[in-house]
Amino acid sequence: MTAVAHRRVDDTDGRAVDLGRSVDVDTRSEALEAARTDRSGWRAPGQPLAVAKPRSVAEVVATIRWAARNRVTVVPRGAGSGLAGGAAAGAGSLVLDLTGLNRIHRIDPDDALAVVEPGVVTADLDRAARRHGLGYPPDPGSVEISTIGGNIATNAGGLRCAKYGATRDAVLALDMVLADGSLIRTGSAAPRSVVGYDLTSLFVGSEGTLGVVVGATVRLTPLAAHQTTIAARFADVEAAAEAAASIVRAGIRPAMLELLDAATLRAVAALDPDLFATPPAADDALLLVRTDGYGAAAEAAAVEDLVAPVARGIRRTENPDQAEQLVRARRLALPAVERLGAVLIEDICVPRSKLAVAIREIERISAEGGVRVFTFAHAADGIVHPLVLAGSAPTSAAAQAVPYSAQATADAIFTLALDLGGSVTGEHGIGVLKRRWLAAALDPGASAVTAAIKHALDPTNLLNPGKAIGSQDHPPT
Amino acid sequence: MTAVAHRRVDDTDGRAVDLGRSVDVDTRSEALEAARTDRSGWRAPGQPLAVAKPRSVAEVVATIRWAARNRVTVVPRGAGSGLAGGAAAGAGSLVLDLTGLNRIHRIDPDDALAVVEPGVVTADLDRAARRHGLGYPPDPGSVEISTIGGNIATNAGGLRCAKYGATRDAVLALDMVLADGSLIRTGSAAPRSVVGYDLTSLFVGSEGTLGVVVGATVRLTPLAAHQTTIAARFADVEAAAEAAASIVRAGIRPAMLELLDAATLRAVAALDPDLFATPPAADDALLLVRTDGYGAAAEAAAVEDLVAPVARGIRRTENPDQAEQLVRARRLALPAVERLGAVLIEDICVPRSKLAVAIREIERISAEGGVRVFTFAHAADGIVHPLVLAGSAPTSAAAQAVPYSAQATADAIFTLALDLGGSVTGEHGIGVLKRRWLAAALDPGASAVTAAIKHALDPTNLLNPGKAIGSQDHPPT
């Protein structure tokens, strides 16, 4: 825990302001610098005023009331593991660090739910649930570092999503502090309720622009009784994508359906040469399939029937250690690419039928621009993660002739996603980095409704301005 | 199709107003009377002005623009199969009958989705999907008569919900006409997208108060490859509820988990005496469990292991005809009770651990008030359907001494739901009939946010006033 310098904030006009006796604030330069960015690497212009470190809901309320009175914008922040700049705080803003609200209030094994504070690390909740034979379903890649509050702010997904749902599907009820400092409760602990508008779903994914999550009631699920893991190698990405589609079409509900392209496989092989019996060839693709629950064996047999005729090779195991070895290629994918240089970690989503063409087109964009891209996908959900190597120099003469960049490559990939009827972000959020895609990605009428809701709940644009949604300066009248 | 009288509306001041050459309106008395009510039987005070019968999105827009210009409130209506008065139209309002927008534009088997108009009957969509080996997941009891638009307005559920989700889970994107006549599109055909606020979830369940659904893109799911059905009789409702809870706790995901109480079983036996080999005893309860998919057999075996030691008798089948015979008790439940008199069909939801106590308390409330109540439940979701016999006379002397009524019985059941940490409506909606429960059922802050959103999107309270949410006369400033 960072030491706290003092409990006072000096605002932009140099006035010393006290947030209240009980709210710690940190104004040390290193704390302010850290709050300017997140895992995307994007840095907000200028330094925030201070980092407030509330330890209770009452302290969050006091902090937001202070900010509202003093017209200081508030940037909510969890672990700072976001990938779109959503928690990056710029000049004059107050960072609201929620990691101090990190208690698991209750795990209810009978009703399979948990009541938690926003600063709980997602994997910690999952581990606590496991002691009761339950698990927390969403599993973003950042699960060991990200917080429930951040997961809620971005509607985080993960590998288990296709079967077990994303964060929105797991949240039953929320305690939110709004821009006026009021504390409200949405939803119900009842498994289903249709009382009033679904404010819970509205707040999930709103990236801290409508309110601050200070408590959540989330669903847990029983741990799967059985598990089977299959790894299949294919001659090309089309064959792997078609196999993935055939699995979903057949009514199999895989707990994991991950596709890795040849570039990613080669990066993984470079990091761990012993992982593959035969080194990845130029056009290889890998499909990892996990089935779980009482039907795990039957579903795995059905997967094998579908995949074996078209795969180059196939391995299957019920042994947890061997299973971990099979999915090791997926776990190593991000570190294997990140050691090659700075990467843009993207997350387009395309209709499943467009998965193969999306990956092929990404390869073409990579080759034409001379910027290396490594792609893997949550195939059952159509989510494609192209890792665009930002640090690499253009490798083709054509690319060197034009000022091609990692960002231009990413932009070409976003255009591709929209052309294929997909989305520019399937699970990371808009944040700052994808705001300029909103005009193309969002219906103008939906943008107007978004602005009207933002204006209704936060008329002075206090909460996380410049994030997630379009211009907040001119709400419709 | 009702014949159309003319294309003009005479408003409350007697002025003849033309909705536009192309929009049919019906002002015959029988059409207006029919629009005053829905399947709940509640009748709105006074008669609506007219029933507009648009045949296209453009005609919906023209109708709403006309209404906005003339300050006539609009009551959207599908099949009128709602159970909370949400579509009941009162004095001076214009009914917007959407059953004329009933085309299935597209079924996409590759991406397992359908693009439909709101007036499509839900079962018709399901049947159209079946021709492609797919199904539409939500299955409200009204599936043969209700429309997709009405299902979206109420976030309708059903028997398959626990495994396959309610309507909100099935809706990917919406076309909505707002109170200002603008046409907007929410969501994305991509399986997952986190672009902007989740307006789709906000509109689903908003009961026509925020906009009118004119198009929807919905998920379909592959038809289950296998299916096993189990019927188990128990000595009492506690044993049945505990068995249901143990099934869910074990990680089994039943496609149906229906519990029927003794009163319901006796009503069913009275309708079809041959259905049960042994007539239902005083305290009997029945549990119907269906497993499906590749794991159907393994899950059914696990269900039997859990249930057999505690059940009085158990039957299991993979044969579709025999399965239909087993679930016949559930299918007959509503008609068996309805032939006894007018019923209030209620839909509280309680935490699963409270299912047995909820049903016991409902029995106590029924006995104390002398009003007959028949209860069955979607046990996996905690949804309890008490059918309160409105037509029956009090049967106990104590009840006759006080002016107890079906409504008082229902009110006692709603209080019970809230006392148990549950919800007053799990799948039917607030409509008109449960509005007075909003103060107790909804957090005041959430009510204020609801009013602010309503005011932002429909400042003149044009759309379905007096429904779904609290007072719309005084939105917060």
Side-chain angles (χ1 to χ4, degrees):
Chain A
M1 183 58 214
T2 315
V4 170
H6 52 70
R7 291 164 190 254
R8 295 164 72 90
V9 177
D10 296 313
D11 74 7
T12 41
D13 297 328
R15 293 170 300 197
V17 189
D18 198 326
L19 273 190
R21 291 185 65 84
S22 57
V23 184
D24 289 340
V25 296
D26 191 343
T27 54
R28 293 171 309 139
S29 180
E30 56 269 39
L32 303 182
E33 275 303 299
R36 285 179 60 200
T37 189
D38 64 8
R39 210 181 164 211
S40 73
W42 185 81
R43 300 185 85 74
Q47 259 191 358
L49 280 183
V51 179
K53 296 175 167 288
R55 307 239 153 230
S56 68
V57 174
E59 290 185 24
V60 173
V61 169
T63 304
I64 288 182
R65 288 203 169 137
W66 176 90
R69 273 197 310 276
N70 291 278
R71 298 179 178 276
V72 171
T73 58
V74 174
V75 181
R77 186 179 181 89
S81 57
L83 290 163
S93 62
L94 178 67
V95 179
L96 182 58
D97 177 346
L98 292 151
T99 55
L101 275 75
N102 60 356
R103 283 170 298 179
I104 297 174
H105 287 302
R106 189 159 69 89
I107 289 189
D108 181 335
D110 288 333
D111 288 318
L113 52 82
V115 180
V116 300
E117 291 186 336
V120 172
V121 169
T122 307
D124 288 343
L125 170 60
D126 190 51
R127 278 186 284 265
R130 279 171 191 273
R131 291 196 283 273
H132 300 272
L134 298 163
Y136 176 65
D139 63 337
S142 59
V143 66
E144 288 289 351
I145 52 170
S146 63
T147 62
I148 293 292
N151 291 181
I152 289 170
T154 55
N155 187 25
L159 276 63
R160 289 194 289 245
C161 252
K163 182 167 185 178
Y164 292 104
T167 300
R168 185 174 285 120
D169 303 301
V171 179
L172 285 166
L174 288 174
D175 293 326
M176 304 288 303
V177 178
L178 305 186
D180 63 0
S182 63
L183 174 65
I184 76 163
R185 175 160 292 183
T186 73
S188 167
R192 290 177 49 216
S193 178
V194 290
V195 174
Y197 300 159
D198 186 1
L199 302 180
T200 307
S201 289
L202 179 66
F203 286 124
V204 175
S206 64
E207 301 191 38
T209 62
L210 294 179
V212 176
V213 180
V214 293
T217 302
V218 298
R219 292 179 201 273
L220 305 173
T221 48
L223 295 176
H226 310 278
Q227 187 170 290
T228 301
T229 306
I230 290 172
R233 287 273 281 274
F234 294 85
D236 54 48
V237 73
E238 282 83 1
E242 177 45 40
S246 72
I247 289 167
V248 175
R249 268 200 306 268
I252 296 159
R253 303 183 91 185
M256 178 195 294
L257 185 61
E258 295 291 305
L259 190 158
L260 284 75
D261 80 342
T264 306
L265 292 177
R266 284 195 300 273
V268 169
L271 178 61
D272 183 351
D274 299 332
L275 191 59
F276 301 107
T278 53
D283 218 20
D284 262 17
L286 178 69
L287 201 61
L288 296 165
V289 192
R290 177 164 289 167
T291 59
D292 68 5
Y294 290 88
E299 287 194 313
V303 169
E304 276 202 302
D305 288 347
L306 288 165
V307 168
V310 287
R312 274 192 173 167
I314 186 165
R315 291 176 65 193
R316 168 183 169 169
T317 185
E318 278 79 37
N319 178 297
D321 294 335
Q322 287 175 12
E324 199 44 44
Q325 190 61 18
L326 290 186
V327 299
R328 191 167 152 74
R330 174 63 182 81
R331 307 236 185 257
L332 288 181
L334 186 54
V337 175
E338 284 188 318
R339 75 191 189 115
L340 303 178
V343 286
L344 306 180
I345 304 173
E346 299 305 345
D347 67 318
I348 63 168
C349 183
V350 296
R352 270 190 305 272
S353 63
K354 302 295 197 303
L355 196 56
V357 64
I359 296 176
R360 274 296 182 220
E361 283 294 300
I362 290 169
E363 288 176 357
R364 186 189 56 73
I365 291 165
S366 167
E368 284 185 13
V371 174
R372 294 172 72 186
V373 182
F374 307 79
T375 304
F376 44 92
H378 308 322
D381 272 335
I383 288 189
V384 180
H385 287 304
L387 307 190
V388 181
L389 203 56
S392 64
T395 52
S396 76
Q400 282 165 356
V402 294
Y404 221 86
S405 69
Q407 193 53 57
T409 298
D411 287 349
I413 292 170
F414 301 147
T415 302
L416 168 70
L418 295 176
D419 287 348
L420 294 175
S423 171
V424 297
T425 175
E427 51 184 12
H428 295 166
I430 292 289
V432 170
L433 294 176
K434 288 184 182 164
R435 268 184 96 211
R436 64 205 170 80
W437 284 93
L438 281 171
L442 203 59
D443 172 79
S447 279
V449 170
T450 299
I453 291 173
K454 169 71 174 175
H455 186 68
L457 269 62
D458 181 13
T460 67
N461 204 6
L462 187 83
L463 298 175
N464 220 8
K467 312 285 175 62
I469 61 177
S471 169
Q472 293 147 38
D473 304 326
H474 305 290
T477 51
Chain B
M1 185 56 215
T2 314
V4 170
H6 53 67
R7 290 163 191 254
R8 294 163 73 91
V9 176
D10 295 313
D11 74 8
T12 41
D13 298 327
R15 290 170 302 196
V17 189
D18 198 326
L19 273 190
R21 292 184 65 84
S22 57
V23 184
D24 289 340
V25 296
D26 191 343
T27 54
R28 292 171 310 137
S29 180
E30 56 268 39
L32 304 182
E33 275 304 299
R36 286 178 60 199
T37 189
D38 65 7
R39 208 181 164 209
S40 73
W42 185 82
R43 300 185 83 76
Q47 260 192 358
L49 281 183
V51 179
K53 296 175 166 289
R55 308 240 150 227
S56 68
V57 173
E59 290 184 25
V60 174
V61 170
T63 304
I64 289 182
R65 289 203 168 138
W66 176 88
R69 273 197 311 275
N70 291 279
R71 298 177 179 275
V72 172
T73 58
V74 174
V75 181
R77 185 178 181 90
S81 58
L83 290 162
S93 62
L94 178 67
V95 179
L96 182 57
D97 176 345
L98 293 151
T99 55
L101 276 74
N102 61 355
R103 284 171 297 182
I104 297 175
H105 286 303
R106 189 158 69 91
I107 289 190
D108 181 336
D110 288 334
D111 288 316
L113 53 83
V115 181
V116 299
E117 291 187 335
V120 172
V121 170
T122 308
D124 288 343
L125 170 59
D126 191 51
R127 279 187 282 266
R130 279 171 190 273
R131 291 196 282 274
H132 300 272
L134 298 163
Y136 176 65
D139 63 338
S142 59
V143 65
E144 289 289 349
I145 51 170
S146 63
T147 61
I148 293 292
N151 291 181
I152 290 170
T154 55
N155 187 25
L159 277 62
R160 289 195 290 245
C161 252
K163 182 166 185 178
Y164 292 104
T167 300
R168 185 175 283 119
D169 303 300
V171 179
L172 285 166
L174 288 174
D175 293 326
M176 303 288 303
V177 178
L178 304 187
D180 63 359
S182 64
L183 173 66
I184 75 162
R185 175 161 292 183
T186 72
S188 166
R192 289 178 49 218
S193 178
V194 289
V195 174
Y197 299 159
D198 186 2
L199 302 180
T200 307
S201 289
L202 179 66
F203 286 124
V204 175
S206 64
E207 303 192 37
T209 62
L210 293 178
V212 176
V213 179
V214 292
T217 302
V218 298
R219 291 180 202 272
L220 304 174
T221 49
L223 294 176
H226 310 278
Q227 188 170 289
T228 300
T229 306
I230 291 171
R233 288 272 281 273
F234 294 85
D236 54 49
V237 74
E238 282 83 0
E242 177 45 41
S246 72
I247 289 168
V248 175
R249 268 202 305 269
I252 295 159
R253 305 184 90 184
M256 177 194 295
L257 186 60
E258 294 292 306
L259 190 158
L260 284 75
D261 81 343
T264 306
L265 292 177
R266 284 195 299 274
V268 169
L271 178 62
D272 183 351
D274 299 332
L275 191 60
F276 302 106
T278 53
D283 219 21
D284 262 18
L286 177 69
L287 202 60
L288 295 166
V289 192
R290 177 165 287 167
T291 59
D292 69 4
Y294 289 88
E299 286 194 314
V303 169
E304 275 202 302
D305 288 347
L306 289 165
V307 168
V310 288
R312 274 192 170 166
I314 186 166
R315 292 176 63 195
R316 168 183 168 169
T317 185
E318 278 79 36
N319 176 297
D321 293 334
Q322 287 174 10
E324 199 44 44
Q325 190 62 18
L326 291 185
V327 299
R328 191 168 151 76
R330 174 64 182 81
R331 306 234 186 260
L332 288 181
L334 186 54
V337 176
E338 283 187 318
R339 75 191 190 115
L340 303 177
V343 286
L344 306 180
I345 304 172
E346 298 305 345
D347 67 317
I348 64 168
C349 183
V350 297
R352 270 190 304 271
S353 64
K354 301 296 195 302
L355 197 55
V357 65
I359 295 176
R360 275 295 183 222
E361 284 294 301
I362 290 169
E363 288 176 358
R364 186 189 57 72
I365 291 165
S366 166
E368 283 184 15
V371 173
R372 294 172 72 186
V373 182
F374 306 80
T375 304
F376 44 91
H378 307 322
D381 271 335
I383 288 190
V384 180
H385 287 303
L387 307 190
V388 182
L389 203 55
S392 64
T395 52
S396 78
Q400 280 164 359
V402 294
Y404 219 85
S405 69
Q407 193 55 56
T409 299
D411 287 349
I413 291 171
F414 302 147
T415 302
L416 168 70
L418 295 176
D419 287 348
L420 294 175
S423 171
V424 296
T425 175
E427 49 184 14
H428 295 165
I430 292 291
V432 170
L433 294 176
K434 288 184 183 163
R435 271 183 95 210
R436 66 207 168 78
W437 285 92
L438 281 171
L442 203 60
D443 173 80
S447 278
V449 170
T450 299
I453 291 173
K454 169 71 176 176
H455 186 68
L457 268 63
D458 181 13
T460 67
N461 203 8
L462 186 82
L463 298 175
N464 220 9
K467 311 287 174 62
I469 62 177
S471 169
Q472 292 148 39
D473 305 327
H474 304 288
T477 52

